[in-house]
Amino acid sequence: MRIHVLGSAAGGGFPQWNCNCPNCDGLRRGTVKARARTQSSIAITGDNTRWLLCNASPDILTQLQRFPELQPARALRDTAITAILLMDAQIDHTTGLYMLREHRERWPLWCTAPVHEDLTRGNPLLNLLGHYCGVDWNTIPIDGQAFTIAAFEGLRFTALPLISNAPPYSPHRDRPVAGDNIGLLIEDANNGKRLFYAPGLGEMEARVWDAMNRADAVLVDGTCWTDTELVDLGASKKTARSMGHLPQQGEGGMLSWLAQLPSSTRRILIHINNTNPILDEDGPQYAELRAAGVEVAYDGMEIIL
Ligand code: MLT
Ligand code: MN
Ligand code: ZN
């Protein structure tokens, strides 16, 4: 299986249009060694021809231009995106669906029932898309049952409901229900290799930890370095945990978990918020990650399993 990181930033991207935090300002001025990043999305293929889009970012058109393999040009209207899967109903993971409205057919769309509910009520994006190409919704099971996606028969998917948070416009914001956010364990049936993907992981649970331990690579929530990062900067009143994101640093933080994975596991952070000091490649936090064998995903990164 091959994974292409289309966008490695959290909501807002990096730099964020209205942000002058040390990272965003430093990147614009060229005084911080960092890479610009678009918003959270990956694409996965088992055959190098058909690609599953995991999340549809507001930056999808830029991401498609930067990754020509998604435009194979076999017909007047064409795409290599064969199906779309959503990890949650957040703006940064769904708004790109609007930009994919010119599709000639209904999009095969995979998401959980609570995500479908949010996208037909709180943010009725799927209703609007119905006036264009429309979608064929397939329910992602959250009872631990493995599922397959048509055209991706070589890949076996298992969704894990995560403790995180629903979007601000969801009827269950701050009262999350199972399926608002999922992690995915994706297994290549041909070689048995597994990826664990969870861009929004708020709390480690036994089931999630077990899935991470079974993976050859984990691509997990790298939103914030500390819980109070946005508050300390005066950028927001929201803590990382209140938004459903486990911070990296400190006791019980993501790094303490990653350190306990088998030494052979590839550990990669994704969905990085623009305020996160790990974006500064000259900074002490980036050095700490390197020393711990933890990678920071970047746009265009490829993971081959
Ligand atoms: C999140 O992951 O918490 C959201 O994407 C934040 C946002 O888009 O505003
Ligand atoms: Mn997000
Ligand atoms: Zn910023």
Side-chain angles (χ1 to χ4, degrees), residues 139-217:
T139 313
I140 294 182
I142 51 167
D143 58 0
Q145 282 288 324
F147 61 99
T148 51
I149 296 180
F152 298 93
E153 278 73 22
L155 302 176
R156 200 158 41 224
F157 299 81
T158 311
L160 292 96
L162 301 178
I163 297 180
S164 191
N165 204 345
Y169 45 80
S170 169
H172 24 99
R173 173 72 165 182
D174 296 329
R175 291 187 316 281
V177 302
D180 279 332
N181 298 77
I182 57 163
L184 273 185
L185 190 65
I186 308 167
E187 181 177 323
D188 185 323
N190 294 315
N191 64 12
K193 297 279 189 192
R194 298 189 188 107
L195 171 79
F196 178 78
Y197 174 52
L201 174 55
E203 216 175 283
M204 194 60 72
E205 294 172 272
R207 285 173 303 104
V208 177
W209 182 233
D210 178 60
M212 285 175 70
N213 272 280
R214 288 163 56 210
D216 298 279

Side-chain angles (χ1 to χ4, degrees), residues 98 101-103 127-134:
Y98 281 126
R101 69 191 177 281
E102 298 91 352
H103 197 42
N127 305 354
L128 268 78
L129 264 191
H131 296 278
Y132 300 88
C133 58

Side-chain angles (χ1 to χ4, degrees), residues 10-12 39 88 90-93 173 199 223 238 243 245 271:
Q39 294 169 81
D88 58 44
Q90 297 269 8
I91 298 264
D92 60 344
H93 286 164
R173 173 72 165 182
T223 310
K238 296 175 186 169
M243 292 187 290
H245 299 296
H271 190 275

Side-chain angles (χ1 to χ4, degrees), residues 40-58:
S40 185
S41 174
I42 64 172
I44 303 174
T45 185
D47 64 4
N48 280 312
T49 304
R50 291 170 293 185
W51 290 82
L52 175 69
L53 182 69
C54 281
N55 300 320
S57 142

Side-chain angles (χ1 to χ4, degrees), residues 13-16 19-25 233 273-275:
F14 177 50
Q16 180 173 309
C19 189
N20 290 298
C21 75
N23 281 341
C24 291
D25 186 54
L233 278 165
N273 199 54
N274 57 76
T275 51

